[in-house]
Amino acid sequence: MISNRWPNGRFPQFTARQQVISDDRTGEWHSFAEKFGKAAFIKRIRIKYLRTFGAVQSPFNAYLSLVGLETLPQRVSQQVVSAQRIAEHLTSAPHVTKVNYSGLGYTPQYELVGKYFPRGVGQILSFQVDGGADSVRRIIDGTRLFSYVPNIGDARSLIVDPAHITHREVPAEARIAAGVSDNLIRLFIGLEDVNDLIADLDQAIAAAY
């Protein structure tokens, strides 16, 4: 039930349908006022802003961040080398239909890599596999070294299905236009041994099919 406060025409941000609290796959669309009634204001603050902007670090967390910055170049350098090797490996892996990584020679951006990224293009890559969301879920569940976390910038290697995690709130038409399909997997490569990471992906993909 909608609180009488919101539908008076002065607060369209509470009465307009919002992707963040809806599900376009099932056709369920909600406004904050419709879904939360009198709690619409605080729910919008928490869901739209607190989660997006984050909170202020505690002194100890700030200290850990500063300590971590001291070894950042060395860590990133190793991660980039590992990401390149994993991307190259996946191009010939069974059931992998496409690899998205600008460090590979066949990508449209490859000519710019040497100019703008002489030390490598980063620790993030994605790839598509045969099948759909079910295949992706089996692969993710089958990994042992990768953590199912949507963050980036970690020391651990991470794996997610963007269509259902990072891009869940993006309308389907925009997701597909950006190449974020249900059979897409995104990796963030951490500091683990690259041969172990490759072996983990290989066994998870093999077991999924």
Side-chain angles (χ1 to χ4, degrees):
M1 180 177 179
I2 300 178
S3 168
N4 291 332
R5 179 183 306 172
W6 308 120
N8 61 12
R10 297 175 58 193
F11 307 102
Q13 66 270 41
F14 293 103
T15 56
R17 301 291 169 84
Q18 299 280 324
Q19 178 77 25
V20 67
I21 55 173
S22 302
D23 188 346
D24 61 358
R25 288 184 175 83
T26 61
E28 296 181 13
W29 291 90
H30 306 283
S31 69
F32 278 90
E34 290 172 335
K35 189 164 185 176
F36 301 112
K38 294 181 179 180
F41 181 84
I42 191 61
K43 288 292 186 179
R44 182 176 171 85
I45 294 296
R46 288 175 175 171
I47 293 173
K48 293 278 285 187
Y49 303 115
L50 181 61
R51 187 188 67 175
T52 301
F53 297 147
V56 177
Q57 286 186 313
S58 71
F60 184 67
N61 287 342
Y63 161 75
L64 292 177
S65 297
L66 291 173
V67 170
L69 287 175
E70 295 177 0
T71 58
L72 183 61
Q74 290 75 24
R75 299 200 314 269
V76 171
S77 178
Q78 178 181 329
Q79 290 171 309
V80 169
V81 170
S82 296
Q84 178 75 30
R85 278 196 57 191
I86 290 171
E88 292 172 352
H89 174 79
L90 287 172
T91 59
S92 58
H95 305 292
V96 174
T97 59
K98 183 180 181 182
V99 179
N100 301 307
Y101 190 69
S102 295
L104 299 175
Y106 60 78
T107 59
Q109 306 88 358
Y110 186 70
E111 293 182 358
L112 301 175
V113 170
K115 179 179 180 180
Y116 294 109
F117 301 98
R119 298 182 182 179
V121 297
Q123 310 103 298
I124 302 174
L125 62 134
S126 64
F127 62 100
Q128 294 178 337
V129 296
D130 291 329
D134 290 339
S135 299
V136 167
R137 174 53 56 190
R138 289 194 296 270
I139 293 171
I140 291 176
D141 288 345
T143 57
R144 298 165 184 169
L145 294 181
F146 287 83
S147 299
Y148 186 53
V149 180
N151 302 345
I152 58 175
D154 208 309
R156 301 169 296 165
S157 291
L158 313 176
I159 186 170
V160 294
D161 45 345
H164 295 86
I165 300 297
T166 58
H167 290 66
R168 180 184 64 82
E169 297 160 10
V170 178
E173 183 177 350
R175 281 200 308 270
I176 298 303
V180 183
S181 55
D182 284 341
N183 66 335
L184 183 72
I185 296 174
R186 191 199 75 185
L187 304 178
F188 173 85
I189 306 304
L191 293 171
E192 301 90 346
D193 184 270
V194 66
N195 295 313
D196 291 342
L197 293 173
I198 289 174
D200 190 31
L201 289 171
D202 284 348
Q203 66 83 23
I205 293 172
Y209 294 92

